[in-house]
Amino acid sequence: MKRVLGSWPPKAFALFLVGISSLCLPGCYDIQEVDDMNLVLAIGVDETEDHLINVTAEFVNPSSAPSSGQDGSSTSGGKQPVIVRQETGASIEDAMGKFEREIPHSVYLAQNMLVLFGESYARNGIDRALDFFERDRAFRRNQLFLVTPNAASDVLSASVDPEPLNALGIRELVEQSSTQLRFVQSEQQQIMEEYLSPSQSPVMALISLQSVGRPALQGVAVFRGGRLVDTLNVDEMQGLGWLLGSTRQVSIHLPCAGEDGAGTTIRILGSNTKFQAQPGQRDLNVQLQVHARAEVEQICPREKLDEKTFKDLNRMAAAYIQRSMQTTIAKLQQDDVDASQFGKRVFLQNPCYSANQ
Amino acid sequence: MFKRFRRNGGERRILDCERELREDISATEGQEPIPERPEFMQQWLESEWDRCSDLQTREIEICGERILLFWLRGLVDLIRLETGILQPLARVSKRRLQLSDVVSILHTVTVHEISTRRQWNTALADGQVVLWLCGRPHALALDVSHAPGRAIQKAENEPTLEGPQEAFVEQIEMNLALLRKRIRTPRMKVESVRVGEYTNSTVAVVYVEGIAKPTLVEEALQRIRRISIDGVGDINKIRELISDAPFTLFPTTEETERPDRVCGNLLQGRIAILVEGAPNCLLVPAQFIHFLVAVDDYYFHYTLTLFIRMLRHVAYWSSLLLPGLYVALLSYNQDLLPTPLLVTVAAQHRGIPFPTIIEALLMLVVFEVLREAGTRLPRAVGQSVSIVGTLIVGDAAVRAGLVSPGMVIVVAGTGVASFALPAYGFVNSSRLIQFAFVIAAGVSGLVGILILALILITHLVSLRSFGVPYMAPVAPFSWSDMKDMFIRAPWFAMKRRPEHMETVNETSNRTPLPKQRKALGWDLNES
C-alpha cells in the first residue's frame, strides 16, 4: 500500500478514501427528481362485480397544481389540479403495478394521505389490504384509512372547494371532526393497533357523497377483525366518543320543556371517561364515569338562567350523555363488535382475568 | 499547548538550520560601520542610494565643521526640519562640535544615535533626517517624519449603531495610539519586529502583561520573527505566514479594523498584531465563536443580544446548508416535505430543463459572480449591479423556465443569511463550503450532507489557533465560557476571562452581583 500511495499524507489518503467510498453509497442510484414523479395523494380500493380489485389513484397534476405563481387561483387553464386514474387487478399490488406501466413518470407513494375503502370491499375483509400497506415501506404510517358507501373513484373525483386538492380536503374534513372526537382520525398506525388489540375492532371514518356531490363525514364504520360490520351515524359516533374517552367541544341539543323552539344548546368543552372493570366470580362489572365541563350556548326562550335551571341542565345533559352511550352500546352489542375497546381496557386493567377468559 | 510544533521534529530542525543560516547572512549585511571619511561616505551613498532622486542632501558649515543632512523627500516635515534642526544649528558658535553638543541644541523630540549602515538606511526610509558630522563614526537620526497618510475615519467594514466609530488607518503609530488611548496602562506592551527584506515594515505585537499567557506572546513573536520575505504590506501576508493550518478554509486568525474591538480582546487575554501599512489588525488566537460575534453584541443590552446572536448562529448554518438541503429534499428525500409544500414545489419545478443540483450550482455561481461584481465596482454602481442582477436576472431566469422560483428563494435566502455574519473571512469560507454541500447532496442526498457535516465537524475540532482549540468552548467544553457563546450574559454575570485563553489573571470583573449589591446596601432604591 505504501509503495502505491507514495508520499500521500495520511489525511489526504483518508479523505480520498472517504470520497471514493461515498460514491458507493445508495445515493445517485435512487435519485428521483421531483418533476420525474407522480405524486399520489389518495388511493381508493373497490371490489368489482367479478371480485377483482379496482384501485383508484389520485395524482397531482403539476401543470395545474396550486403554486405561488398563480395569484391564489386553485387551478390554471381550466384543468383539474388532480388526475384520477383507475386500474383493475387480482390484488392491490397487481393494480398498483399497472399504474407504473401505463403512466409516465414513476408512482410516488410516500405522500399518500388517504386510503379509501369501498363498502363492498370492506365488508369482504380488508386484511390483505392492511398487510399490503403495512409491508410496503413507501407508505407513511399516518395515512388515513377511510370507508365510503359510494364508489371510491367517485369520492376521489368530487370537488372539495375551497381546497383545490381533493385528498387534502377530505383529510381536512376528518381532522376537523377529530378535534372533537379523537378516534375519528383513523390513521394507519391507530387502525393497526386496534386491529391487533384484544378487542380487534378498528373504527374508521365514514365519508360519503352528499346529494350535491360533495364528500362529507357521515359517521364511522365499525369493523370486527378485518370485516366491516356496521356504520354509526354522527349521534352514535358521539356516544362512542364518550365511551372511548376524552372529547372536546361537542354540542348537545336538549328540547325545551312543554313547548316548541330551538331548545337548549350546551357545549361540552371537554370530557373524560373513567373506565373501571371489576371482575366477579361469574361475571364482569364495568363502570364508566364521564366527567365533563360545559357551557350554555343557548337556552329556551322563557327560561331564566338561575341556579335551579343550571341544576336541571346539568341533570339533563348527564341523562343525554348516558342515553347516547347506552344507545351506542346497544347497537354495538347487536353487531357483536367491541368498538368501545372494552376488551382492550379490561386486559390492560386485569390481564389475569383476560387470560382466564 | 503547542503540540503541533513538537510534531515532525526532524523536518523542523532542518528548516530551523536553513533559517538560521539565512539570518546569519542577512544579519551581517549592513552591519558595517558608517564611513568616517567624507569621500568614502560619498562613494558609499552614491552606490547605496544610486538613482534615488528623492534623496535630499544639505550641507552646512558651522565654525569650520561640515555637517551633512540627509532625508527622503515627501517623508519629512520641512517646517520641523527648518525650525527644529536648521535654525538651532545656525545659532551654534562653538568650535570642534561633538554629537552630544548637537543633540543638546536641537529642537527635535526624538534623536537616536546610529553607527551602522543598516541603521542609516532604515532611518532614512522611516522618514527621519540623518545628521552626520564629517569624520565622525556616528550619526544622528532625527525624527521629523511626516509620512503621507489619511486621517482616522469611520469604520466601514464593521459598522455599529452604538459604540465608537473610529477605525484603524495605514499608519501603525496612529493605530498604536488608538489602542493606547483606550488602555491607559504601562502593562499594555508593544513589541515591534521588522519584517520584509525590502519593505522593512514594522510589525507590532500588542498584549496586556499580566493577562495574556506569556508562552502565547512568545509563540506569536517567534512566528513573526521566522518570516523571511521580500515585503509585507498588508495583514493577509502575516496571517497566511503565521497561520496554524494554512490549508483550511476556516480563518484561524481574526481581523478587525476597530480599535475598541481590539482593546476588548486584549483584556480577554488575546494578542493583537499590527502591520505598518495595514488599516486593520490581527487578533490571535481566534476561535470559531469569535467570527459569529459582532461588536454590537457588547454595545446593546444583553436581552437583545441574546436573540440576535442566536439568529446569527442560525444564519450561519443556513448559509452553509440551505442549498444542499434543498437539493437533497428535491432529489432524494421528498418524503420529508409536507405534502402541500411538495405539491407546490413540484408545480414550480415542472418544465425546468436541469436536474436540481445543476440548477442549484448554476444559481450559486451566478449569485457569486453578481456579488463579486458588486464588490469590485464602485459603490454606487456596485449596488445597482447587485439589484439589477438579483431582481431582473433572477426574474428573467424564472420566466424563461431556466430555474424554479423556489431555487431563487433558496439562493437569495442563503445570500441574505451570509450577509448577517459579521466576519467577512468567515463568510468567504461558507461561500465555498456551501458548494461542497450542494455536491454532496446531489450525490447522496441527506446521507451525503450528513457525511460531509461529520467530516466538517471533525476538521473543526482538530483545528487549533496558536495552540488553543478552534471549537473552544464547545470542544473542549467549558461551562463558564458559555456565558459569551450562543448568548451574551449580562456584564455583571461575566466575571472571568475565557478559560481556554489560559490567562494569567482569570478575573476580569470584580463588581458585586445585583444580589450582593443589595446585601451591601448599595442600591439607591433601598436607601
Side-chain angles (χ1 to χ4, degrees):
Chain A
M1 180 70 88
K2 265 186 181 172
R3 218 181 313 152
V4 175
L5 293 170
S7 60
W8 276 45
K11 202 183 268 183
F13 174 65
L15 278 174
F16 173 76
L17 205 65
V18 169
I20 293 294
S21 309
S22 65
L23 294 177
C24 307
L25 290 168
C28 288
Y29 306 108
D30 64 353
I31 189 167
Q32 191 178 19
E33 286 294 334
V34 73
D35 41 359
D36 290 338
M37 56 172 61
N38 283 317
L39 291 176
V40 178
L41 297 182
I43 291 173
V45 183
D46 283 313
E47 192 172 272
T48 59
E49 286 174 357
D50 45 355
H51 303 293
L52 290 173
I53 308 298
N54 183 26
V55 174
T56 308
E58 181 183 316
F59 299 102
V60 174
N61 183 5
S63 60
S64 304
S67 70
S68 57
Q70 294 178 350
D71 302 326
S73 62
S74 60
T75 59
S76 66
K79 288 182 184 174
Q80 289 299 317
V82 292
I83 302 164
V84 177
R85 296 285 290 265
Q86 293 184 63
E87 292 292 349
T88 306
S91 62
I92 298 177
E93 298 92 312
D94 185 28
M96 294 293 287
K98 287 184 180 174
F99 285 123
E100 287 284 1
R101 292 193 291 275
E102 295 176 14
I103 302 176
H105 301 321
S106 59
V107 175
Y108 189 72
L109 297 166
Q111 294 285 348
N112 187 50
M113 291 186 290
L114 307 177
V115 177
L116 197 60
F117 295 109
E119 192 172 343
S120 59
Y121 179 82
R123 284 196 185 277
N124 287 329
I126 58 168
D127 307 77
R128 282 208 62 184
L130 293 181
D131 184 59
F132 169 73
F133 289 113
E134 269 300 299
R135 284 180 192 278
D136 196 326
R137 286 182 300 162
F139 292 102
R140 284 181 181 177
R141 296 306 183 258
N142 68 345
Q143 58 187 349
L144 289 181
F145 281 178
L146 309 173
V147 175
T148 177
N150 311 98
S153 57
D154 293 343
V155 177
L156 294 181
S157 307
S159 165
V160 284
D161 282 342
E163 178 58 54
L165 300 170
N166 171 286
L168 274 174
I170 294 175
R171 187 168 181 120
E172 193 67 27
L173 282 175
V174 175
E175 282 174 352
Q176 276 167 217
S177 298
S178 71
T179 57
Q180 298 174 346
L181 305 164
R182 272 179 56 194
F183 71 96
V184 177
Q185 181 128 358
S186 46
E187 291 183 353
Q188 181 178 341
Q189 55 196 4
Q190 183 191 323
I191 295 297
M192 289 311 297
E193 197 184 312
E194 290 169 356
Y195 178 70
L196 298 170
S197 74
S199 297
Q200 296 184 353
S201 302
V203 176
M204 296 183 194
L206 182 72
I207 297 287
S208 66
L209 290 175
Q210 292 174 308
S211 53
V212 286
R214 293 179 187 277
L217 184 77
Q218 294 292 340
V220 289
V222 183
F223 285 74
R224 189 191 314 119
R227 286 175 189 273
L228 173 69
V229 288
D230 203 353
T231 58
L232 303 181
N233 61 27
V234 175
D235 290 337
E236 291 162 343
M237 191 170 80
Q238 282 184 356
L240 184 60
W242 285 312
L243 283 169
L244 281 171
S246 60
T247 64
R248 283 179 61 212
Q249 303 288 341
V250 176
S251 291
I252 59 174
H253 305 283
L254 304 170
C256 295
E259 58 185 75
D260 294 335
T264 302
T265 305
I266 295 175
R267 177 172 293 276
I268 298 179
L269 301 172
S271 77
N272 273 305
T273 305
K274 194 176 171 187
F275 179 86
Q276 193 63 44
Q278 290 173 331
Q281 290 293 330
R282 293 183 184 175
D283 53 0
L284 176 74
N285 293 320
V286 169
Q287 193 180 14
L288 288 166
Q289 277 186 327
V290 179
H291 296 274
R293 287 182 307 110
E295 64 181 18
V296 178
E297 281 197 335
Q298 189 183 7
I299 57 170
C300 294
R302 293 191 193 93
E303 213 160 27
K304 250 176 88 177
L305 200 58
D306 53 13
E307 195 177 340
K308 182 179 171 300
T309 315
F310 262 120
K311 279 184 182 172
D312 288 346
L313 288 174
N314 198 13
R315 187 175 40 75
M316 286 163 71
Y320 180 93
I321 291 172
Q322 189 178 7
R323 202 165 47 250
S324 175
M325 287 163 70
Q326 282 170 343
T327 310
T328 306
I329 285 179
K331 185 161 188 181
L332 293 175
Q333 281 177 334
Q334 194 180 346
D335 294 332
D336 191 21
V337 63
D338 186 18
S340 51
Q341 305 289 321
F342 281 4
K344 178 183 165 186
R345 290 193 271 183
V346 169
F347 173 76
L348 289 173
Q349 286 190 359
N350 302 282
C352 299
Y353 175 81
S354 302
N356 293 336
Q357 292 300 307
Chain B
M1 181 179 172
F2 303 113
K3 203 182 281 178
R4 194 169 276 270
F5 297 98
R6 288 201 290 273
R7 279 188 223 151
N8 303 325
E11 198 179 320
R12 185 160 295 282
R13 270 197 295 279
I14 294 166
L15 287 172
D16 286 348
C17 290
E18 284 176 6
R19 180 174 51 80
E20 280 163 18
L21 193 63
R22 279 202 306 273
E23 277 178 3
D24 287 345
I25 295 165
S26 59
T28 52
E29 278 178 12
Q31 292 302 322
E32 302 94 335
I34 54 175
E36 288 183 32
R37 295 175 62 176
E39 58 271 24
F40 290 160
M41 172 61 83
Q42 190 182 354
Q43 193 183 350
W44 173 68
L45 276 174
E46 277 176 3
S47 66
E48 192 80 1
W49 291 88
D50 183 30
R51 282 169 285 169
C52 296
S53 59
D54 54 342
L55 178 72
Q56 306 292 301
T57 312
R58 173 78 193 273
E59 185 179 336
I60 44 178
E61 195 168 322
I62 300 167
C63 303
E65 287 282 354
R66 277 178 72 200
I67 297 177
L68 287 166
L69 295 168
F70 303 91
W71 72 91
L72 289 174
R73 189 170 55 213
L75 293 179
V76 170
D77 185 350
L78 292 176
I79 295 170
R80 283 169 66 199
L81 171 63
E82 193 172 327
T83 56
I85 301 170
L86 294 176
Q87 286 178 3
L89 285 175
R91 287 195 291 271
V92 174
S93 56
K94 189 180 174 183
R95 289 180 176 277
R96 300 187 64 78
L97 269 176
Q98 298 299 320
L99 276 180
S100 55
D101 300 326
V102 177
V103 172
S104 64
I105 58 164
L106 289 178
H107 295 171
T108 313
V109 178
T110 315
V111 180
H112 293 296
E113 198 171 292
I114 53 175
S115 55
T116 64
R117 294 178 186 190
R118 171 181 273 191
Q119 286 174 334
W120 181 295
N121 289 340
T122 305
L124 276 180
D126 282 350
Q128 298 182 30
V129 173
V130 176
L131 184 151
W132 184 59
L133 279 170
C134 282
R136 306 296 194 286
H138 301 287
L140 292 176
L142 313 170
D143 191 1
V144 287
S145 63
H146 183 70
R150 64 185 171 109
I152 294 169
Q153 287 167 344
K154 213 173 166 180
E156 287 188 353
N157 298 332
E158 297 169 76
T160 175
L161 295 175
E162 297 181 16
Q165 303 291 331
E166 286 172 334
F168 285 130
V169 290
E170 285 77 5
Q171 289 157 288
I172 193 168
E173 295 83 7
M174 211 175 272
N175 295 344
L176 288 170
L178 287 171
L179 298 180
R180 280 278 180 214
K181 192 173 88 172
R182 288 172 170 81
I183 303 180
R184 299 173 188 189
T185 170
R187 287 187 185 177
M188 192 188 100
K189 305 295 179 191
V190 181
E191 294 197 35
S192 298
V193 180
R194 291 277 184 165
V195 177
E197 195 75 23
Y198 293 96
T199 58
N200 209 13
S201 313
T202 305
V203 177
V205 174
V206 186
Y207 60 96
V208 179
E209 191 184 42
I211 295 179
K213 191 180 177 185
T215 49
L216 183 67
V217 176
E218 191 49 39
E219 177 66 25
L221 282 166
Q222 270 186 21
R223 288 191 192 187
I224 293 167
R225 285 191 196 116
R226 281 189 201 121
I227 297 172
S228 177
I229 195 168
D230 282 355
V232 173
D234 64 319
I235 209 86
N236 187 49
K237 266 189 188 167
I238 296 285
R239 177 169 48 199
E240 289 186 15
L241 290 166
I242 66 169
S243 163
D244 290 66
F247 300 111
T248 183
L249 288 173
F250 292 93
T252 51
T253 53
E254 194 186 350
E255 190 183 312
T256 182
E257 60 169 353
R258 299 185 62 89
D260 53 320
R261 187 171 190 174
V262 174
C263 289
N265 281 288
L266 289 178
L267 296 176
Q268 295 293 304
R270 295 173 79 191
I271 294 171
I273 299 170
L274 291 103
V275 180
E276 177 77 59
N280 38 26
C281 163
L282 273 191
L283 288 168
V284 293
Q287 272 63 58
F288 182 85
I289 181 62
H290 290 133
F291 300 100
L292 295 173
V293 172
V295 277
D296 274 338
D297 292 359
Y298 300 102
Y299 296 135
F300 286 139
H301 195 256
Y302 71 93
T303 45
L304 181 66
T305 304
L306 186 140
F307 171 69
I308 291 175
R309 204 178 269 190
M310 296 292 273
L311 207 64
R312 214 175 284 136
H313 279 268
V314 172
Y316 174 67
W317 292 106
S318 302
S319 72
L320 275 191
L321 298 173
L322 209 57
L325 283 174
Y326 188 76
V327 170
L329 289 174
L330 259 67
S331 300
Y332 292 95
N333 307 94
Q334 297 89 352
D335 49 329
L336 295 179
L337 287 173
T339 308
L341 179 60
L342 182 62
V343 170
T344 307
V345 169
Q348 287 176 357
H349 211 265
R350 187 179 161 79
I352 305 295
F354 307 113
T356 314
I357 179 174
I358 301 294
E359 192 189 352
L361 289 174
L362 198 73
M363 279 302 291
L364 285 172
V365 168
V366 169
F367 187 79
E368 288 303 325
V369 169
L370 285 170
R371 177 142 69 172
E372 196 59 21
T375 313
R376 297 284 157 259
L377 285 168
R379 181 166 294 176
V381 186
Q383 283 177 353
S384 311
V385 167
S386 301
I387 294 165
V388 168
T390 315
L391 295 181
I392 299 178
V393 177
D395 187 52
V398 170
R399 282 176 189 276
L402 292 175
V403 291
S404 60
M407 183 58 78
V408 174
I409 292 167
V410 165
V411 173
T414 308
V416 171
S418 71
F419 293 146
L421 305 177
Y424 192 63
F426 210 49
V427 174
N428 288 341
S429 80
S430 73
R431 281 162 72 177
L432 290 173
I433 296 168
Q434 71 183 6
F435 278 95
F437 272 107
V438 168
I439 292 167
V443 171
S444 303
L446 286 181
V447 179
I449 290 179
L450 194 68
I451 289 170
L452 193 60
L454 287 174
I455 293 172
L456 191 77
I457 290 168
T458 312
H459 173 64
L460 282 172
V461 294
S462 72
L463 282 178
R464 280 170 182 267
S465 173
F466 284 75
V468 180
Y470 194 59
M471 287 305 283
V474 175
F477 186 76
S478 165
W479 179 248
S480 67
D481 291 356
M482 284 292 149
K483 287 178 181 171
D484 198 11
M485 172 83 188
F486 299 108
I487 59 160
R488 205 254 307 154
W491 284 115
F492 59 76
M494 289 201 283
K495 298 271 186 196
R496 292 179 171 275
R497 297 193 173 88
E499 259 181 24
H500 58 266
M501 292 292 172
E502 298 179 25
T503 52
V504 178
N505 177 3
E506 289 181 352
T507 309
S508 64
N509 183 2
R510 286 157 292 278
T511 318
L513 291 168
K515 202 166 55 179
Q516 293 166 330
R517 283 207 302 262
K518 209 172 177 181
L520 290 165
W522 286 10
D523 278 2
L524 290 174
N525 293 341
E526 288 294 309
S527 62

